[in-house]
């Protein structure tokens, strides 16, 4: 285990100084941001033209009423974006017919829908494309043939020039809009705020919870004060109004709060970017990846009106009706279980391929799928992540297409010396594209370049030991440091402010002195390890490998332990005591 101190090793005002190092000058203001951090919607280029076109269609109050199509993008940001504009549109004019189309897989924009529109009579007066289609120029040129105007409310980078029939409202393409971390749901929220100003209403804020959910789901930075404001307000007790979000939070109450029988106030207190990212976003992602089309239909129905009644598909409840938010929540949980089971089964099958072809001989694990490897392509990223974690190697899972390209998903290792796997692949010169985040992205490489790439990577990465974890830490202390408890208490007290680009602080503690005899093994599965030293507790959950390692020492062997972990306060009987949840540790006998 290695660790790097990535900021000054602050010795006072720990959270305040850490946040200053991350660009936040006023921690208290960050914790309770005001509305002044919202940008004016007028800073979004084309928003006036987009709103005029939208109102011209939607506000038609005489038969035949207008028909609007919303194309729902296939992720949390896409569903929340579409849900905001759907509800806003129906509220604006209940007579307006609003249809929505979902994707069967992980397609985007008009990619799999264009044939239903082109070549037929004009079906819609307006197509709204939230969280997509800034780079769909070829499809919009086709729509020009039937003269369907399109409103794109997006945040993706593009250099394409769209057709004259498409109006694009996109923060990335707006020089006056400073927040480039705003995601699709945030752009749609701002669009609704702009329309509010025109019609004299204040409806947009009723969808702040969906905007917050979308930003978190699409990993928008919480260090941007506009995003921070939307998330802070959107996840407040006042603004969590969406029935489906409430249902999901209640379903995940124990995971979020750690309490049996948690109250709504308990849940709200622990609802933050991390709990949404860990316990809510994956449920929707799983449904989008492995759910059936009827289940996805119910999913979007739950987003837009959770009170609708639908036939219950629960075992033993045939013939009964259920609220769609409750039904979809149950189906999302089942989809997550199905996804995880399928992932483990596929990884097990792929291991035979890995060993048969000696794929671990290369510094980068590249698994090329065959026709017999049948599973949803939407699982490529999850499978790559599972293999990367198991074999301690950056991993690519791809399938050869008819054009001679291996295309799939890549996953790097956050705790390694190779910090940006995507940049490494792009820099190699062998990849057609590598699109996404630093260590989670889609890739394409000509199959005939694969051997050359491996030769390049094996040489370039020869000195990196991917088997040794490398951690970025924010504080380093000896276990007997006088301020260690104060440090842990201060950091653990900062509830709800951590998230994307504002990672929860990692603390390294050196020279924890103990012996196997003094270490407690706890839990129903006897797999939780606890070390107590100098007034601090150090806990490692699911620690069977570590326990086995410690058991190899004799009971009275003196050990020096170095840990990296995250701060927590244990509350018992009205008393709070500091503790560190261990991410990793190194043990040496002395």
């Amino acid at each position: 285990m290695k660790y790097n101190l990535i900021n000054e090793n602050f010795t006072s005002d720990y959270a305040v100084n850490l946040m200053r190092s991350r660009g936040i000058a006023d921690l208290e203001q960050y914790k309770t941001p005001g509305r002044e951090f919202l940008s004016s919607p007028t800073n979004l280029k084309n928003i006036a033209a987009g709103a005029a076109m939208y109102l011209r269609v939607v506000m038609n109050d005489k038969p035949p009423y207008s028909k609007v199509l919303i194309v729902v993008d296939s992720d949390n940001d896409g569903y929340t974006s579409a849900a905001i504009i759907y509800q806003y549109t129906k509220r604006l004019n209940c007579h307006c017919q609003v249809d929505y189309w979902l994707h069967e897989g992980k397609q985007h924009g008009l990619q799999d829908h264009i044939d239903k529109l082109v070549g037929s009579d004009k079906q819609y007066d307006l197509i709204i494309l939230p969280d997509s289609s800034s780079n769909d120029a070829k499809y919009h040129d086709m729509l020009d043939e039937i003269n369907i105007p399109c409103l794109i409310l997006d945040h993706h980078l593009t250099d394409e020039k769209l057709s004259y029939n498409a109006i694009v409202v996109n923060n990335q393409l707006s020089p006056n809009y400073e927040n480039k971390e705003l995601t699709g749901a945030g752009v749609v929220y701002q669009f609704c705020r702009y329309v509010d100003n025109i019609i004299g209403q204040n409806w947009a804020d009723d969808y702040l919870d969906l905007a917050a959910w979308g930003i978190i789901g699409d990993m928008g930075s919480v260090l941007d004060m506009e995003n921070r404001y939307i998330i802070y307000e959107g996840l407040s007790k006042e603004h969590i109004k969406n029935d489906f979000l409430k249902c999901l939070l209640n379903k995940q109450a124990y995971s979020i709060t750690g309490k049996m029988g948690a109250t709504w106030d308990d849940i709200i207190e622990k609802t933050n970017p991390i709990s949404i990212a860990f316990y809510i976003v994956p449920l929707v992602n799983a449904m989008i990846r492995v759910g059936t089309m009827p289940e996805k239909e119910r999913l979007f129905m739950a987003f837009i009106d959770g009170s609708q009644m639908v036939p219950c598909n629960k075992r033993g409840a045939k013939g009964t009706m259920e609220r769609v938010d409750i039904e979809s929540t149950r189906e999302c949980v089942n989809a997550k279980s199905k996804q995880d089971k399928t992932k483990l089964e596929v990884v097990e099958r792929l291991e035979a391929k890995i060993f048969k072809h000696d794929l671990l001989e290369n510094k980068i694990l590249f698994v090329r799928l065959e026709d017999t490897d049948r599973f949803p392509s939407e699982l490529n990223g999850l499978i790559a992540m599972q293999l990367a974690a198991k074999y301690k190697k950056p991993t690519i899972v791809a399938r050869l297409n008819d054009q001679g390209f291996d295309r799939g998903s890549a996953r790097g290792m956050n705790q390694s010396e190779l910090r940006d796997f995507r940049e490494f692949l792009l820099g190699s010169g062998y990849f057609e594209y590598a699109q996404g985040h630093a260590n989670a992205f889609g890739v394409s490489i000509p199959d005939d370049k694969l051997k050359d790439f491996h030769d390049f990577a094996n040489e370039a990465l020869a000195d990196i030991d991917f088997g040794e974890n490398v951690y970025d830490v924010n504080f380093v202390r000896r276990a007997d440091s006088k301020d260690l408890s104060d440090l842990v208490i201060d950091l653990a007290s900062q509830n709800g402010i951590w998230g994307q680009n504002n990672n929860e602080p990692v603390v390294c503690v050196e020279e924890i002195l103990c012996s196997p005899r003094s270490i407690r093994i706890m839990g129903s599965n006897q797999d939780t390890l606890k070390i107590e030293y100098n007034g601090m507790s150090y806990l490692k959950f699911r620690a069977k490998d570590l326990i086995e390692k410690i058991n190899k020492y004799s009971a009275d062997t003196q050990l020096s332990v170095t840990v990296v972990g995250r701060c927590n306060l244990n509350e018992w009987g009205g008393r709070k005591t500091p503790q560190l949840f261990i991410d990793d540790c190194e043990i040496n006998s002395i």
Side-chain angles (χ1 to χ4, degrees):
M1 179 185 76
K2 296 180 180 178
Y3 50 90
N4 301 312
L5 183 66
I6 60 172
N7 47 252
E8 184 181 338
N9 198 16
F10 303 111
T11 57
S12 64
D13 297 325
Y14 311 104
V16 168
N17 283 315
L18 177 62
M19 292 300 288
R20 282 177 181 160
S21 74
R22 295 177 175 181
I24 302 300
D26 188 332
L27 176 58
E28 291 307 311
Q29 186 182 60
Y30 181 82
K31 289 166 75 171
T32 56
R35 199 170 178 84
E36 68 272 15
F37 290 109
L38 272 183
S39 301
S40 170
T42 60
N43 291 328
L44 286 166
K45 186 178 178 181
N46 299 328
I47 196 167
M53 179 175 70
Y54 171 79
L55 288 170
R56 186 167 58 250
V57 173
V58 173
M59 292 296 281
N60 172 30
D61 59 357
K62 295 180 180 179
Y65 298 114
S66 298
K67 296 174 65 177
V68 174
L69 171 66
I70 298 172
V71 179
V72 184
D73 206 48
S74 49
D75 59 17
N76 277 261
D77 198 26
Y79 271 66
T80 52
S81 300
I84 293 170
I85 197 64
Y86 178 96
Q87 292 175 90
Y88 193 93
T89 303
K90 292 300 289 184
R91 193 170 181 179
L92 191 59
N93 184 356
C94 63
H95 298 294
C96 181
Q97 178 181 324
V98 184
D99 294 342
Y100 54 85
W101 288 354
L102 308 176
H103 299 289
E104 290 193 11
K106 285 282 286 179
Q107 301 92 341
H108 299 281
L110 290 167
Q111 188 175 347
D112 54 339
H113 293 313
I114 192 69
D115 291 340
K116 289 184 282 186
L117 292 166
V118 176
S120 61
D121 293 334
K122 181 179 177 181
Q123 303 172 51
Y124 293 101
D125 301 293
L126 175 66
I127 300 174
I128 303 176
L129 294 144
D131 189 40
S132 73
S133 299
S134 289
N135 49 9
D136 273 359
K138 60 181 178 180
Y139 301 128
H140 289 279
D141 286 342
M142 296 170 71
L143 286 181
D144 279 350
E145 300 173 18
I146 50 176
N147 197 31
I148 300 179
C150 296
L151 174 61
I152 297 171
L153 304 172
D154 195 16
H155 69 114
H156 295 97
L157 283 167
T158 183
D159 56 5
E160 295 186 11
K161 185 176 181 180
L162 297 183
S163 71
Y164 70 90
N165 249 355
I167 294 178
V168 182
V169 180
N170 184 323
N171 58 320
Q172 305 294 340
L173 307 179
S174 303
N176 295 330
Y177 206 92
E178 294 184 3
N179 180 13
K180 303 306 181 185
E181 290 288 333
L182 194 67
T183 69
V187 171
V188 174
Y189 164 69
Q190 286 284 50
F191 179 81
C192 293
R193 285 186 67 216
Y194 186 89
V195 176
D196 270 353
N197 290 332
I198 296 174
I199 64 174
Q201 296 291 347
N202 189 28
W203 295 341
D205 280 4
D206 290 340
Y207 313 111
L208 266 169
D209 50 357
L210 290 172
W213 183 355
I215 291 169
I216 295 166
D218 218 45
M219 297 192 290
S221 174
V222 302
L223 282 178
D224 185 281
M225 289 302 292
E226 180 173 59
N227 285 358
R228 172 63 188 158
Y229 170 79
I230 293 172
I231 291 169
Y232 173 75
E233 286 293 338
L235 300 185
S236 67
K237 187 175 184 178
E238 176 188 0
H239 282 111
I240 294 184
K241 298 182 177 182
N242 186 271
D243 288 336
F244 185 40
L245 179 55
K246 290 179 182 178
C247 204
L248 289 169
L249 288 170
N250 277 305
K251 181 67 176 179
Q252 298 290 73
Y254 179 74
S255 296
I256 292 170
T257 68
K259 294 182 180 180
M260 295 295 294
T263 66
W264 181 242
D265 285 341
D266 292 332
I267 296 169
I268 290 293
E269 182 184 356
K270 296 294 185 180
T271 298
N272 55 51
I274 290 178
S275 59
I276 294 291
F278 273 81
Y279 303 118
I280 303 301
V281 168
L283 296 181
V284 174
N285 281 340
M287 176 57 73
I288 291 170
R289 290 189 183 106
V290 303
T292 65
M293 283 306 292
E295 288 172 335
K296 292 180 186 180
E297 289 284 349
R298 287 190 287 274
L299 174 67
F300 191 67
M301 287 171 64
F303 269 97
I304 59 177
D305 183 2
S307 67
Q308 293 181 77
M309 301 300 292
V310 296
C312 183
N313 295 294
K314 186 178 180 179
R315 184 178 299 175
K318 187 176 181 179
T320 65
M321 302 293 285
E322 183 60 276
R323 283 176 58 112
V324 71
D325 53 0
I326 296 173
E327 181 73 1
S328 187
T329 293
R330 182 186 61 80
E331 290 177 335
C332 284
V333 171
N334 291 343
K336 180 70 164 56
S337 298
K338 176 183 176 182
Q339 169 192 278
D340 292 346
K341 181 181 178 182
T342 302
K343 177 182 67 176
L344 292 175
E345 290 173 350
V346 172
V347 166
E348 189 174 306
R349 293 202 304 269
L350 291 181
E351 285 179 322
K353 184 193 302 286
I354 289 169
F355 288 109
K356 178 181 179 180
H357 298 290
D358 295 323
L359 300 183
L360 295 176
E361 294 300 311
N362 292 312
K363 298 294 287 189
I364 292 174
L365 175 57
F366 194 108
V367 182
R368 188 171 61 190
L369 303 172
E370 311 297 336
D371 290 340
T372 53
D373 297 317
R374 296 174 183 171
F375 58 88
S377 60
E378 291 79 15
L379 295 182
N380 282 352
L382 292 177
I383 290 164
M385 183 167 61
Q386 184 83 5
L387 291 171
K390 182 165 188 174
Y391 293 110
K392 301 286 188 181
K393 286 179 178 286
T395 299
I396 299 172
V397 174
R399 194 181 295 273
L400 179 64
N401 69 10
D402 295 339
Q403 290 76 45
F405 288 89
D406 293 314
R407 289 179 176 163
S409 297
R411 293 296 183 269
M413 301 176 64
N414 291 325
Q415 278 77 47
S416 80
E417 293 182 64
L418 181 63
R419 295 308 172 93
D420 194 326
F421 187 29
R422 175 177 172 271
E423 189 61 34
F424 175 79
L425 297 188
L426 288 173
S428 73
Y430 291 103
F431 282 76
E432 178 193 19
Y433 62 74
Q435 297 175 342
H437 302 282
N439 285 310
F441 52 95
V443 295
S444 175
I445 183 174
D447 188 68
D448 59 8
K449 297 294 184 182
L450 193 53
K451 183 181 183 304
D452 291 339
F453 167 69
H454 276 307
D455 291 341
F456 165 82
N458 290 341
E459 181 177 352
L461 303 175
D463 295 333
I464 294 182
D465 179 6
F466 288 111
E468 182 173 33
N469 289 334
V470 181
Y471 294 90
D472 288 339
V473 302
N474 305 106
F475 299 89
V476 178
R477 292 292 189 276
R478 287 171 50 96
D480 58 4
S481 296
K482 292 181 179 180
D483 74 334
L484 181 56
S485 291
D486 292 338
L487 165 66
V488 173
I489 291 170
D490 183 32
L491 296 178
S493 300
Q494 310 304 323
N495 295 323
I497 70 170
W498 315 115
Q500 184 68 22
N501 291 358
N502 187 32
N503 296 330
E504 188 176 0
V506 178
V507 179
C508 173
V509 181
E510 304 168 326
E511 298 186 37
I512 305 167
L513 304 180
C514 59
S515 68
R517 189 187 301 278
S518 67
I519 296 173
R520 293 176 59 190
I521 308 301
M522 310 183 304
S524 57
N525 296 321
Q526 290 290 285
D527 62 351
T528 298
L529 176 148
K530 183 176 183 180
I531 303 172
E532 293 180 302
Y533 181 76
N534 199 34
M536 276 282 296
S537 297
Y538 304 87
L539 290 96
K540 175 73 173 172
F541 304 99
R542 293 180 290 278
K544 287 188 175 180
D545 290 344
L546 179 58
I547 292 169
E548 289 178 6
K549 183 177 180 179
I550 289 172
N551 285 340
K552 292 179 180 178
Y553 294 99
S554 62
D556 293 316
T557 302
Q558 292 300 301
L559 303 176
S560 177
V561 180
T562 296
V563 306
V564 293
R566 291 166 171 79
C567 304
N568 185 261
L569 289 179
N570 181 41
E571 300 185 31
W572 183 258
R575 185 170 168 233
K576 296 182 179 180
T577 56
Q579 56 188 18
L580 207 71
F581 289 160
I582 300 171
D583 291 333
D584 202 352
C585 71
E586 185 176 282
I587 301 172
N588 293 296
S589 59
I590 54 176

